[in-house]
Amino acid sequence: MGSTSAHGETSTGTGTGSGAGPGRRDLIKRSAALGLISVPTMSFLTACASGGDAPKAAGAKAAVTKENPFGLAKGTKLDVVVFKGGFGDDYAKAWEAAFDKKWGTSSTHLGTPEITGKLQTRFNGGNPPDVVDNSGAQRIKLDVLAKSNQLADLTPVLDAPSLDDPAKKVRDLLIPGTVEQGMQGGKCVSLNYVYTVFGFWYSGKLFKEKGWTPPKTWDEFLDVCTKAKEAGIGGLAHQGKFPYYINVVIMDLIAKKGGLEAMKAIDNLEPNAFEGSAAALAAVEALYEVVEKGLLMPGTNGLTHTESQTAWNQYKAAFIPSGSWLENEQIKQTPDDFDMRFLPMPLLPDSALPFEAIRAGAGEPFIVPEQAANKPGGLEFIRSMLSREWSTIFAQQANSLTVVKDGVDPGVKLRPGTQSAVAALKQAGTNTFNYLYPDWYSEMDSSIQDASNELMAKRIQPKEWIKRAQAAVNKAAQDPNAKNNRRS
C-alpha cells in the first residue's frame, strides 16, 4: 500500500524529461544497482528512454463533444490491466462491462500482481495497455515512467465535465489532495483512486476478551504490547520482508510529533528533514524500544505481508500496521468474529497533532500510457471511474472508499474494519496528512525502507537510521526535477 499507495506488497516512486543523456544513463545504473529494475537483454529504462522516438499510430477517433470530450470512437478496443492485490479485480471487470455497454467498445482484461513483469516488454515495444492500475510491490516506478515521457497528462480528464454533474469539472468532485498525489514534475500523470487511511489495526474480539483498552499514547501502546507478551502473544507484528509497512509507523509518528512542517520538510528534501529533527529521532527511538523490549511477534522480521497478516488474524499479535486495504486483502483469512478495528497512531509526548489525526489520502494510481493505442478510451475510462456509479461499484466489490466526494450510495454496507476507518476519518476532520515523497522519489523511499529493515533487525541504532534517511534525502535533492516537486 499506497500509498500511498500501496496494498499488498507495496513499494513506491518524479519528473519529466526528454532524451537519454548522461543523467538518464546514471539513473539506469543506479536503479539497476539498487534492484529497482530488472535488467534482461535490454534495460527497461533504456527501452523507455528510446521508446518515445517511435510513437505508435493513434487509434480511430470520433468528434469531440461535451459528452465525448476525448473523441472516443465506438467499436474500438480497450486494453485494461489492473493490479490484483488487496482489492481483487472484480470491480474492474464490472467497470469494463459497463464501459463496453455504453461506448460499444470491446475490452480486454488482465488482473495480475506482476505489473512490471507483465508490462515491461509492452512498454519496451511501444504497445502498452490503454489503462493501467500501477500498484503493488512490482509496480513500475512512476517517477521513472514520467521522466521517460511514458505517461499521458491527465489534466484534460480533471477539467472535463463530470458525468454526474456536467456543470462541474471532474476535479471539483474529488477529495482534496487527490490531484496533488498524482503530480510528477508539476504535471498530473496518475489518478490515485482509493481513499486510504493508514495506522494500526487490532481485533475487537481479542481486546474485549483480554480487557485491553485501545491505546492513545505510545506509553499505553507499549503497555498493551507488554501485556500481550505476558499472555504469550506478540505485541506488534509487521510485514518484515516489505519494510514499507513499518515505515507507516515511523512516518506517522514523525508527522504527529512534529506537525505538518516536519512532514513537509521530508517531502521538500530539506537538509534538516531527519538530521536535526527532534521529532524524527523521537519517532525512531520509540519504535526501536518495541524491538529492544522484545515486543515484536516472534519471526515477524522474516515474514511477507500475507504471512504476518495471517498470523495476526490467528491472534498471534495484538497490532499490525497497514493501510485500509488490509480487510479486503485478508478476507479469506479473517475469522468471522475477528471484529477488525482501525487505530490512529498513538501519540508521543508533546505531539503537535492530536490523537485523532491520521494519515489519509489517495492511493492506487491509475495511469494512461502516452503511447496507448486507444488513448481517448483510456482517458474516458478514467473519467468514468470518477462517477458515482463506478465509485459505488468499487465500494461494493472492494470494500473501500474512493476519492469521489460522497461517491458511494448510502445503501452500500461496509465491513467492520472499513466502518471503523470511516468513523476515524470523521473524528479526524481536517486533521489528516499524507506524504508525497514515495511517489516523487522512489530511490529515496527504497533507501529509507532498507534502513528500517536494518533497524527492526537490530543491525543499526536509531541515530544511524537518521543518518541513512538524511543521506537518501540529500541524494534525492540532487535530482534536477526536485525543484518542480514542492509542497507549501
Side-chain angles (χ1 to χ4, degrees):
M1 284 196 288
S3 192
T4 180
S5 135
H7 46 291
E9 335 154 355
T10 315
S11 61
T12 41
T14 29
T16 54
S18 60
R24 178 73 52 71
R25 287 192 292 271
D26 290 344
L27 175 63
I28 295 168
K29 293 174 184 176
R30 290 198 303 271
S31 299
L34 286 166
L36 298 180
I37 58 171
S38 59
V39 186
T41 55
M42 179 174 66
S43 162
F44 172 53
L45 292 187
T46 304
C48 280
S50 61
D53 296 334
K56 190 169 184 175
K61 287 195 68 173
V64 171
T65 64
K66 188 174 183 180
E67 292 75 26
N68 187 7
F70 313 113
L72 170 58
K74 294 196 174 187
T76 52
K77 295 181 180 180
L78 187 75
D79 189 351
V80 182
V81 176
V82 300
F83 171 70
K84 190 173 182 179
F87 302 122
D89 65 343
D90 287 345
Y91 71 90
K93 294 175 183 176
W95 284 352
E96 292 154 17
F99 195 80
D100 289 346
K101 182 177 180 180
K102 177 179 179 179
W103 290 100
T105 48
S106 177
S107 295
T108 58
H109 171 91
L110 173 63
T112 176
E114 304 172 3
I115 296 299
T116 294
K118 297 295 185 182
L119 298 187
Q120 175 172 322
T121 55
R122 296 194 58 183
F123 272 96
N124 288 354
N127 65 325
D130 303 312
V131 184
V132 181
D133 169 17
N134 182 39
S135 195
Q138 298 184 53
R139 68 192 281 185
I140 303 173
K141 305 296 184 183
L142 280 175
D143 54 345
V144 172
L145 287 174
K147 285 177 179 177
S148 53
N149 296 319
Q150 291 288 314
L151 300 177
D153 186 355
L154 298 184
T155 303
V157 176
L158 300 174
D159 291 333
S162 161
L163 287 169
D164 295 317
D165 183 357
K168 294 182 178 179
K169 294 181 179 180
V170 167
R171 67 169 70 240
D172 297 331
L173 303 183
L174 305 182
I175 290 172
T178 299
V179 176
E180 183 182 33
Q181 196 72 29
M183 300 294 285
Q184 294 280 350
K187 184 169 68 173
C188 183
V189 294
S190 73
L191 188 284
N192 291 267
Y193 188 67
V194 185
Y195 196 64
T196 305
V197 302
F198 298 85
F200 282 136
W201 299 81
Y202 66 97
S203 163
K205 176 188 177 182
L206 179 64
F207 270 58
K208 184 177 181 179
E209 288 180 352
K210 299 295 184 182
W212 299 337
T213 301
K216 291 188 176 182
T217 69
W218 194 255
D219 285 342
E220 291 172 353
F221 170 76
L222 293 175
D223 183 57
V224 174
C225 288
T226 301
K227 290 177 179 176
K229 183 180 180 181
E230 292 170 351
I233 301 171
L236 175 65
H238 78 105
Q239 302 83 336
K241 289 189 176 181
F242 299 101
Y244 160 88
Y245 292 87
I246 203 64
N247 273 0
V248 169
V249 182
I250 295 174
M251 295 300 168
D252 282 16
L253 286 172
I254 291 174
K256 295 181 82 164
K257 170 74 173 177
L260 299 183
E261 293 309 310
M263 177 195 69
K264 291 176 183 177
I266 296 171
D267 282 344
N268 288 337
L269 309 179
E270 299 293 344
N272 61 347
F274 291 106
E275 287 185 332
S277 168
L281 183 59
V284 182
E285 289 179 339
L287 179 59
Y288 194 65
E289 190 172 355
V290 176
V291 179
E292 282 193 310
K293 290 184 174 180
L295 300 178
L296 288 178
M297 182 182 77
T300 193
N301 284 341
L303 299 182
T304 65
H305 67 297
T306 51
E307 291 168 342
S308 60
Q309 290 162 189
T310 298
W312 171 72
N313 280 144
Q314 296 168 345
Y315 306 105
K316 294 179 181 178
F319 300 98
I320 195 164
S322 187
S324 49
W325 60 80
L326 177 68
E327 185 171 41
N328 207 61
E329 184 170 61
Q330 291 297 116
I331 191 168
K332 293 182 180 178
Q333 289 75 33
T334 305
D336 291 339
D337 59 350
F338 189 81
D339 190 19
M340 194 178 294
R341 301 287 184 91
F342 172 78
L343 181 75
M345 196 59 55
L347 293 180
L348 295 173
D350 303 316
S351 287
L353 298 181
F355 165 71
E356 291 77 14
I358 55 177
R359 190 200 304 203
E364 201 76 5
F366 281 75
I367 59 174
V368 175
E370 180 62 31
Q371 295 186 63
N374 191 357
K375 186 175 173 183
L379 297 176
E380 184 61 42
F381 195 87
I382 298 290
R383 184 171 79 122
S384 301
M385 287 169 52
L386 300 171
S387 66
R388 187 184 181 95
E389 176 190 355
W390 283 29
S391 183
T392 297
I393 289 173
F394 185 84
Q396 290 172 325
Q397 300 282 353
N399 186 46
S400 294
L401 303 180
T402 74
V403 295
V404 181
K405 295 177 186 175
D406 302 318
V408 179
D409 290 337
V412 175
K413 184 172 177 59
L414 301 172
R415 297 189 182 95
T418 303
Q419 288 180 18
S420 72
V422 171
L425 271 171
K426 291 181 179 178
Q427 291 177 335
T430 58
N431 282 307
T432 61
F433 59 91
N434 201 17
Y435 287 91
L436 299 179
Y437 79 88
D439 284 325
W440 281 355
Y441 310 107
S442 59
E443 185 179 336
M444 168 184 158
D445 181 44
S446 295
S447 296
I448 295 175
Q449 288 186 37
D450 291 342
S452 297
N453 189 40
E454 297 291 289
L455 181 82
M456 299 307 289
K458 296 181 73 172
R459 289 191 288 266
I460 64 172
Q461 303 287 311
K463 288 184 178 178
E464 175 64 20
W465 187 97
I466 293 290
K467 181 180 178 181
R468 294 188 185 191
Q470 187 63 53
V473 167
N474 296 344
K475 187 174 183 179
Q478 302 305 310
D479 186 334
N481 200 58
K483 65 181 182 296
N484 295 318
N485 291 332
R486 300 288 297 179
R487 62 188 304 173
S488 56

